[in-house]
Amino acid sequence: WRKMMLPKMSFLHSFDEFDGGVYDAKRWEPDLGFLNKRQGAVIWPPGYLHETSTTQPADGECGSALTLQYAFPQPVQFLRAFLPRLALSSEVGQCVNMAWSGYATFEVKGIKASSKMAKMKEQLENILGKLDADKDDRITVDETKAWFSQPESTALRRIADPAMLQHKDLYIQFKAEDTVAYHDMDDDKVVTRQELWDSLVQWNVVRVRMTEGLKLINTADRKGIEELERSLDYLRREPIDLPKKVRPEMQGIFDLGKGVKLFPSLKGIHSLSDSEFWSNARDRVEELAHRGGRREL
């Protein structure tokens, strides 16, 4: 086995993360390598790239391996720490809006990402108002469990498999523990007002960046993307080094010419992931190129 964390990302760094795409993008720099022996197991979080090869058994027999995904516990502090780059992943980027946003918002319905501080403060007060039962500016696991049990919460609506409702109480317990852990930076199993604020600000920035970036890519505006990325440098530990060469599918979009709409609407597209964006973008680029890049009206 060899593994590596998803590298630092910008919109222009997007690459195919499936079956060797990282080699083509020349971004494969594994930071861990080991031999997983017979009857062994390996656990890795979302967005962690991995490469495997099989050693030939001495008796020439074949081997088998299983990959399983489990619901709990989720690596929530990993997600929180690396949310900006995971959001741009072709493999798991769709999870930010589909599932992980519920951690940041405590499954409070109607919270939409904003670039306005006033709106973020409204989100903060909204969440505390619904969860902080004893008004001490802290959210506990028990308070989160109580909220997730309410019909106004969106927690139970995220259950994809109805069979999990047979274990509703356990689901709420584990979901509450994960949600508190997402925000809990000092591991005291309590979310303070400041911890909640820090997480909300990060989530809003990540989601607004994605929304604005998708608009620019959808109109083949490479310069606009570059300006957007550089405008966020003050939030980074160091300025982003934007690549000159981009993935072929993205170059195909830019070749259409600034102003050409890739999709007539971005409804239902919340990420630059394969499932939401690239799988359909390839066909759209070919269609528009064949039509001579005619602008969508």
Side-chain angles (χ1 to χ4, degrees), residues 77-227:
Q77 293 187 337
F78 171 85
L79 302 180
R80 165 75 167 78
F82 294 102
L83 194 65
R85 70 174 74 177
L86 292 173
L88 288 167
S89 166
S90 297
E91 187 74 16
V92 301
Q94 74 279 359
C95 297
V96 176
N97 182 70
M98 291 174 56
W100 301 341
S101 286
Y103 298 126
T105 64
F106 272 92
E107 299 290 359
V108 173
K109 185 180 179 181
I111 293 182
K112 297 181 179 180
S114 174
S115 60
K116 305 297 183 183
M117 183 175 291
K119 289 292 184 182
M120 297 182 204
K121 289 181 178 179
E122 287 179 12
Q123 297 168 3
L124 177 73
E125 298 303 331
N126 189 10
I127 293 171
L128 287 171
K130 293 188 183 316
L131 282 100
D132 182 18
D134 57 9
K135 306 304 177 186
D136 64 349
D137 274 350
R138 292 158 29 112
I139 299 174
T140 65
V141 172
D142 285 341
E143 287 173 326
T144 307
K145 286 169 56 182
W147 165 245
F148 285 174
S149 300
Q150 299 299 314
E152 301 96 317
S153 166
T154 59
L156 294 179
R157 301 177 199 176
R158 293 190 186 272
I159 296 180
D161 183 358
M164 291 188 72
L165 287 173
Q166 299 175 25
H167 311 285
K168 176 181 172 183
D169 291 342
L170 275 177
Y171 177 89
I172 289 175
Q173 173 72 35
F174 296 154
K175 179 78 170 179
E177 292 173 354
D178 278 356
T179 303
V180 167
Y182 178 91
H183 301 266
D184 181 17
M185 301 305 291
D186 57 6
D187 294 326
D188 64 353
K189 295 181 173 57
V190 173
V191 180
T192 65
R193 171 183 282 266
Q194 185 62 51
E195 287 173 330
L196 176 57
W197 173 249
D198 291 344
S199 295
L200 276 174
V201 170
Q202 183 208 42
W203 174 79
N204 276 280
V205 170
V206 168
R207 290 301 304 139
V208 169
R209 172 203 195 186
M210 178 56 64
T211 300
E212 296 305 310
L214 284 172
K215 292 177 185 177
L216 293 166
I217 288 184
N218 196 49
T219 54
D221 187 353
R222 175 166 185 162
K223 184 178 180 181
I225 284 288
E226 292 174 347
E227 291 175 351

Side-chain angles (χ1 to χ4, degrees), residues 16 18 89-96 98 247 263 267-282:
D16 183 358
F18 186 73
S89 166
S90 297
E91 187 74 16
V92 301
Q94 74 279 359
C95 297
V96 176
M98 291 174 56
R247 62 186 295 172
F263 298 111
K267 184 177 181 181
I269 301 176
H270 306 287
S271 69
L272 206 62
S273 64
D274 289 329
S275 61
E276 290 188 338
F277 187 87
W278 291 115
S279 59
N280 294 319
R282 296 181 182 96

Side-chain angles (χ1 to χ4, degrees), residues 23-80:
Y23 305 138
D24 296 335
K26 295 181 170 44
R27 303 210 73 187
W28 178 239
E29 296 180 7
D31 49 38
L32 182 63
F34 56 91
L35 177 64
N36 185 38
K37 297 182 179 180
R38 179 179 296 185
Q39 298 181 340
V42 179
I43 298 175
W44 70 92
Y48 226 89
L49 304 175
H50 53 280
E51 172 196 76
T52 61
S53 57
T54 304
T55 57
Q56 181 67 42
D59 57 9
E61 292 183 355
C62 296
S64 62
L66 300 175
T67 301
L68 303 173
Q69 295 184 6
Y70 47 87
F72 300 105
Q74 287 291 305
V76 288
Q77 293 187 337
F78 171 85
L79 302 180
R80 165 75 167 78

